[in-house]
Amino acid sequence: RRRFQQISLMHESLKRRLPCLPELPAKSVVRQFSPEYLESRKSALAAYLTALSQRRDVLNTAEAQEFFGMSERDPNLRMRSCHDVFHAAEVQECNFGINCFVYDAARGFLLLGASDCNWVSRIDTKITNIKLPWEPSAPNLPTSQMTLWKESTPGSFQLQFCCRFGPSISSVALTVDEDGLCLCGLSD
């Protein structure tokens, strides 16, 4: 069992290292003991901790490993590495989850293949894309996208190209030579 203060301290420590974290549920100013309030607070904290535990960058930090007791369960985690986790860059692809990426460090190109990871959104898109008899044509909402980014300064990328697709992207490929570049998005 952990106290809210321990969760708050871990959150503040992680926030200094990883700027894009889930919101920590706020602590109430007045102590409330109603069963409804306590249950909603318990659910909000459980959702917060679940969101943290699903992120590899969070779980690779010493703070999270200590908080979740990971080093007690796995002896290999007790040995500290000289390669500490730090936030080098962050990419967000709207409502899409990144499936695959290719990074050409020599030229600074980052190619991302991303697909809609939310099943409710995917079902909504499928239903919306159905052509009804009275419609002249069916809408074609994308379920995935491929984006090309160029590193302008270390950790900072500028969008060069974005293309959205109906089918889901499972893999991307990038080739760069003196004649130009070639991008490829593949679907299952």
mmCIF file of all heavy atoms in Angstrom, residues 107 175-181:
data_model
loop_
_atom_site.group_PDB
_atom_site.id
_atom_site.type_symbol
_atom_site.label_atom_id
_atom_site.label_comp_id
_atom_site.label_asym_id
_atom_site.label_seq_id
_atom_site.Cartn_x
_atom_site.Cartn_y
_atom_site.Cartn_z
ATOM 1 N N ARG A 107 21.448 11.357 -41.717
ATOM 2 C CA ARG A 107 20.783 12.427 -42.476
ATOM 3 C C ARG A 107 19.671 13.109 -41.688
ATOM 4 O O ARG A 107 19.079 14.065 -42.142
ATOM 5 C CB ARG A 107 20.248 11.852 -43.777
ATOM 6 C CG ARG A 107 21.376 11.406 -44.685
ATOM 7 C CD ARG A 107 20.843 10.817 -45.979
ATOM 8 N NE ARG A 107 21.933 10.356 -46.818
ATOM 9 C CZ ARG A 107 22.439 9.137 -46.773
ATOM 10 N NH1 ARG A 107 21.973 8.249 -45.933
ATOM 11 N NH2 ARG A 107 23.419 8.781 -47.584
ATOM 12 N N THR A 175 14.740 4.720 -47.758
ATOM 13 C CA THR A 175 16.054 4.657 -48.392
ATOM 14 C C THR A 175 16.433 6.058 -48.815
ATOM 15 O O THR A 175 15.637 6.762 -49.437
ATOM 16 C CB THR A 175 16.024 3.733 -49.635
ATOM 17 O OG1 THR A 175 15.589 2.451 -49.233
ATOM 18 C CG2 THR A 175 17.380 3.642 -50.278
ATOM 19 N N VAL A 176 17.635 6.482 -48.447
ATOM 20 C CA VAL A 176 18.115 7.814 -48.789
ATOM 21 C C VAL A 176 19.467 7.664 -49.474
ATOM 22 O O VAL A 176 20.345 6.963 -48.981
ATOM 23 C CB VAL A 176 18.277 8.688 -47.522
ATOM 24 C CG1 VAL A 176 18.703 10.098 -47.906
ATOM 25 C CG2 VAL A 176 17.004 8.716 -46.704
ATOM 26 N N ASP A 177 19.608 8.319 -50.641
ATOM 27 C CA ASP A 177 20.909 8.360 -51.306
ATOM 28 C C ASP A 177 21.078 9.731 -51.948
ATOM 29 O O ASP A 177 20.263 10.627 -51.732
ATOM 30 C CB ASP A 177 21.073 7.214 -52.320
ATOM 31 C CG ASP A 177 20.051 7.264 -53.442
ATOM 32 O OD1 ASP A 177 19.477 8.338 -53.698
ATOM 33 O OD2 ASP A 177 19.834 6.225 -54.089
ATOM 34 N N GLU A 178 22.128 9.906 -52.756
ATOM 35 C CA GLU A 178 22.399 11.217 -53.341
ATOM 36 C C GLU A 178 21.327 11.669 -54.333
ATOM 37 O O GLU A 178 21.174 12.843 -54.615
ATOM 38 C CB GLU A 178 23.795 11.255 -54.004
ATOM 39 C CG GLU A 178 24.000 10.285 -55.136
ATOM 40 C CD GLU A 178 24.378 8.866 -54.668
ATOM 41 O OE1 GLU A 178 24.713 8.683 -53.493
ATOM 42 O OE2 GLU A 178 24.333 7.975 -55.499
ATOM 43 N N ASP A 179 20.534 10.718 -54.877
ATOM 44 C CA ASP A 179 19.484 11.083 -55.835
ATOM 45 C C ASP A 179 18.165 11.470 -55.160
ATOM 46 O O ASP A 179 17.261 11.959 -55.824
ATOM 47 C CB ASP A 179 19.219 9.905 -56.771
ATOM 48 C CG ASP A 179 20.439 9.603 -57.648
ATOM 49 O OD1 ASP A 179 21.163 10.550 -57.974
ATOM 50 O OD2 ASP A 179 20.659 8.412 -57.952
ATOM 51 N N GLY A 180 18.020 11.224 -53.870
ATOM 52 C CA GLY A 180 16.780 11.559 -53.176
ATOM 53 C C GLY A 180 16.435 10.510 -52.142
ATOM 54 O O GLY A 180 17.300 9.784 -51.666
ATOM 55 N N LEU A 181 15.158 10.437 -51.844
ATOM 56 C CA LEU A 181 14.740 9.454 -50.855
ATOM 57 C C LEU A 181 13.498 8.715 -51.359
ATOM 58 O O LEU A 181 12.750 9.210 -52.176
ATOM 59 C CB LEU A 181 14.491 10.076 -49.495
ATOM 60 C CG LEU A 181 13.487 11.216 -49.371
ATOM 61 C CD1 LEU A 181 12.180 10.684 -48.832
ATOM 62 C CD2 LEU A 181 14.048 12.229 -48.394
#
